[in-house]
């Protein structure tokens, strides 16, 4: 796909609705405070300039990827490519990453989308001292399906990568334990892909728009489909923690009547543990899977259920003793974090987003079946043991009625019962967030 259009000036088409229209939306600016290696420190001015050029280049693009002025776009692309070549020549970048950055520089200078680069990036599964992604990236499907120019620059986080290695080493045994508790004895995962934990240094272009992601899934998010063998997730540890601190935690403090996360625990490790479970659980399957798909119930509804499956099994894995010990927290802490994060997602509008729709399914299931109590004032009472039992029952239900469904009617029945409705069991909390808690940020900006 070429990222260029003809030289005539065009009108940029505005994005469709990506946040609930009625809600009040607020931003808060945060310091990313990344842990920057010594050999990356001298490059910070260049890296930040590359991100700023990314903002400028993206500002010339329409949602179809075309540029409103090709000549101006070429000047910005050339300047970006020169910076990338300079960065690739430093000792801050591994030989493998340097080759990728140089290839990205060439593609950017030519304003082309070289999907092979995304596959090579995904194949580089070892932690990288410095990762530089600059080129077309997808963000939100209901904004546009066209990859738009983005810049994301991150550095490896050794402690986070060590946590992932420990989680992965125990994941098979942990899933077997979950199956024992849920009664889903033949659930397996079809493949576990690499996850790299990083600190985000700078972000530009479409990736820097709102709401921002805290992770990218490669090569998919670079608009290059899935890898035949290698796929990887790059997670920004500092961004993930800041989102929780400024959005999820305040929502939980206002709405959740139950245990508060223990003071002093590393909440970023709790979040990473949960996210690794979610990432692994995206590959949940059974010998009976594959009879129903998005064509049967609609794309967004189907994928809201896929996210709910990943959330349910990932949460169940996170609540095992092995993973709680690795996360450095108790089951009380993990449930508190899970529920606060679910409120963060459902706030985005379960009628708009698959992730938000998944949070609605999960919370509605837990509330509708007595595993937590949603009061008329929107607050939620919960106890750890009940929520854990509810998560296990949710796993069993989604396995039976979605993963291994015989017909689309089964899947549609789950959507009808637990998808968004004005009389949903979780509706009082959604309305309270909308009507009373608009001052809590919707997204964060980076200083």
């Amino acid at each position: 796909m070429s990222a260029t259009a003809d030289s005539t000036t065009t009108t940029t088409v505005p994005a469709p609705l990506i946040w609930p229209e009625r809600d009040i939306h607020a931003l808060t600016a945060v310091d990313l405070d990344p842990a920057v290696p010594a050999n990356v420190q001298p490059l910070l001015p260049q890296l930040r300039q590359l991100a700023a050029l990314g903002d400028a280049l993206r500002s010339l693009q329409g949602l179809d990827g075309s540029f409103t002025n090709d000549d101006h776009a070429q000047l910005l692309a050339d300047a970006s490519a020169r910076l990338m070549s300079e960065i690739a020549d430093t000792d801050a970048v591994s030989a493998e990453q340097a080759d990728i950055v140089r290839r990205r520089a060439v593609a950017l200078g030519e304003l082309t989308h070289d999907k092979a680069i995304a596959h090579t990036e995904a194949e580089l599964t070892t932690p990288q001292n410095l990762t530089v992604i600059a080129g077309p990236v997808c963000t939100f499907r209901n904004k546009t399906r066209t990859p738009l120019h983005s810049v994301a620059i991150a550095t490896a986080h050794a402690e986070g990568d060590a946590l992932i290695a420990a989680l992965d080493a125990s994941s098979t045994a942990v899933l077997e334990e979950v199956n024992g508790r849920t009664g889903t004895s033949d659930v397996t995962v079809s493949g576990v892909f690499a996850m790299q934990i990083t600190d985000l240094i700078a972000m530009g272009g479409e990736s820097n728009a709102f709401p921002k992601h805290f992770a990218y899934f490669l090569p998919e998010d670079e608009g290059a489909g899935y890898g035949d063998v290698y796929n990887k997730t790059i997670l920004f540890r500092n961004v993930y923690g800041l989102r929780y601190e400024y959005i999820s935690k305040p929502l939980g403090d206002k709405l959740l009547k139950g245990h508060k996360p223990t003071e002093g625990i590393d909440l970023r490790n709790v979040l990473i543990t949960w996210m690794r479970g979610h990432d692994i659980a995206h590959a949940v399957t059974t010998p009976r899977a594959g009879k129903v798909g998005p064509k049967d119930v609609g794309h967004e509804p189907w994928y809201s259920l896929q996210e709910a499956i990943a959330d349910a099994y990932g949460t169940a894995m996170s609540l095992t003793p092995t993973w709680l010990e690795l996360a450095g927290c108790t089951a009380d802490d993990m449930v508190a974090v899970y529920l606060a994060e679910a409120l963060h997602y459902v706030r985005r509008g379960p009628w708009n987003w698959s992730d938000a729709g998944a949070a609605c399914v999960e919370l509605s299931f837990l509330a509708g079946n007595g595993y937590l109590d949603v009061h008329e004032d929107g607050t939620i009472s919960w106890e750890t043991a009940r929520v854990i039992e509810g998560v296990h029952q949710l796993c069993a239900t989604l396995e039976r009625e979605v993963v291994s469904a015989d017909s689309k009617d089964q899947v549609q029945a789950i959507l009808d019962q637990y998808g968004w409705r004005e009389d949903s069991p979780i509706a009082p909390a959604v309305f309270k967030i909308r009507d009373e808690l608009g001052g809590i940020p919707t997204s964060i900006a980076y200083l």
Side-chain angles (χ1 to χ4, degrees):
M1 178 197 74
S2 172
T4 62
D6 59 42
S7 58
T8 59
T9 300
T10 59
T11 302
T12 301
V13 179
L17 177 67
I18 60 172
W19 268 335
E21 189 173 35
R22 174 179 158 189
D23 292 8
I24 296 170
H25 298 290
L27 300 175
T28 189
V30 299
D31 188 344
L32 287 172
D33 192 26
V36 181
N39 60 356
V40 175
Q41 288 281 357
L43 297 176
L44 289 178
Q46 291 158 285
L47 297 173
R48 289 169 179 151
Q49 184 181 358
L50 181 61
L53 286 167
D55 287 334
L57 187 55
R58 168 63 186 92
S59 72
L60 295 177
Q61 275 185 304
L63 289 178
D64 63 356
S66 64
F67 291 105
T68 57
N69 187 299
D70 282 3
D71 292 337
H72 293 166
Q74 190 64 62
L75 287 172
L76 294 169
D78 288 343
S80 299
R82 286 193 296 272
L83 278 173
M84 293 166 69
S85 296
E86 292 172 9
I87 292 164
D89 290 337
T90 69
D91 66 356
V93 184
S94 70
E96 298 88 351
Q97 185 67 227
D99 178 65
I100 294 172
V101 174
R102 291 189 184 100
R103 288 169 62 191
R104 290 188 186 280
V106 171
L108 184 52
E110 296 173 352
L111 289 172
T112 57
H113 185 186
D114 186 344
K115 296 180 182 180
I117 299 173
H119 285 266
T120 304
E121 180 77 63
E123 293 167 7
L124 187 55
T125 57
T126 55
Q128 295 297 302
N129 184 61
L130 185 65
T131 296
V132 179
I133 296 173
V137 170
C138 301
T139 51
F140 295 100
R141 182 181 183 276
N142 54 347
K143 181 177 184 181
T144 177
R145 302 181 195 182
T146 302
L148 301 173
H149 183 67
S150 297
V151 175
I153 304 165
T155 188
H157 191 279
E159 178 187 337
D161 285 322
L163 174 58
I164 293 297
L167 294 168
D168 287 355
S170 58
S171 62
T172 299
V174 162
L175 182 58
E176 289 177 359
E177 182 177 343
V178 169
N179 283 336
R181 293 176 179 273
T182 61
T184 55
S185 58
D186 61 356
V187 164
T188 59
V189 292
S190 57
V192 177
F193 302 131
M195 176 178 279
Q196 295 176 341
I197 305 302
T198 69
D199 269 356
L200 181 68
I201 294 175
M203 189 168 272
E206 177 64 16
S207 293
N208 203 32
F210 300 102
K212 303 180 195 294
H213 290 300
F214 68 90
Y216 279 107
F217 307 97
L218 306 180
E220 178 190 6
D221 285 347
E222 289 200 69
Y226 293 96
D228 294 332
V229 178
Y230 294 100
N231 296 268
K232 75 177 179 184
T233 302
I234 295 180
L235 186 150
F236 309 126
R237 181 180 186 269
N238 50 347
V239 173
Y240 202 5
L242 289 164
R243 278 178 20 130
Y244 180 84
E245 179 182 351
Y246 286 95
I247 303 175
S248 303
K249 181 181 182 299
L251 288 172
D253 288 344
K254 292 290 187 181
L255 292 172
L256 297 175
K257 294 182 175 180
H259 174 83
K260 304 299 181 186
T262 305
E263 188 174 347
I265 65 171
D266 190 334
L267 286 166
R268 296 182 183 190
N269 285 344
V270 178
L271 292 164
I272 289 169
T273 299
W274 183 90
M275 184 60 187
R276 187 48 171 163
H278 170 95
D279 204 31
I280 291 172
H282 260 303
V284 159
T285 188
T286 74
R288 302 171 301 286
K291 299 181 180 67
V292 184
K295 67 181 184 303
D296 297 306
V297 294
H299 186 97
E300 282 309 314
W302 173 255
Y303 281 101
S304 70
L305 291 178
Q306 301 314 298
E307 294 297 333
I309 293 163
D311 285 354
Y313 274 91
T315 302
M317 293 174 74
S318 300
L319 286 165
T320 60
T322 299
W323 275 27
L324 288 171
E325 183 177 356
L326 290 172
C329 71
T330 66
D332 297 324
D333 297 325
M334 185 63 74
V335 172
V337 170
Y338 162 61
L339 292 176
E341 283 282 280
L343 290 172
H344 178 164
Y345 277 101
V346 79
R347 178 195 201 182
R348 293 185 176 183
W351 50 89
N352 285 337
W353 305 88
S354 58
D355 284 336
C360 179
V361 167
E362 295 159 52
L363 292 172
S364 295
F365 180 92
L366 294 173
N369 291 285
Y371 298 113
L372 53 78
D373 300 310
V374 181
H375 305 292
E376 289 185 7
D377 66 355
T379 58
I380 300 171
S381 297
W382 62 276
E383 297 173 359
T384 299
R386 291 169 64 202
V387 173
I388 293 175
E389 182 184 355
V391 168
H392 291 157
Q393 289 304 312
L394 176 61
C395 289
T397 300
L398 291 175
E399 183 276 319
R400 183 180 64 250
E401 304 298 337
V402 181
V403 178
S404 302
D406 291 323
S407 71
K408 65 180 181 181
D409 293 339
Q410 286 176 264
V411 179
Q412 188 61 54
I414 292 294
L415 290 166
D416 292 343
Q417 186 170 4
Y418 300 116
W420 174 252
R421 309 187 312 267
E422 290 288 320
D423 63 346
S424 166
I426 199 64
V430 174
F431 296 148
K432 185 179 181 71
I433 292 171
R434 167 178 290 173
D435 298 333
E436 300 178 30
L437 302 180
I440 294 174
T442 310
S443 189
I444 54 178
Y446 307 143
L447 294 174

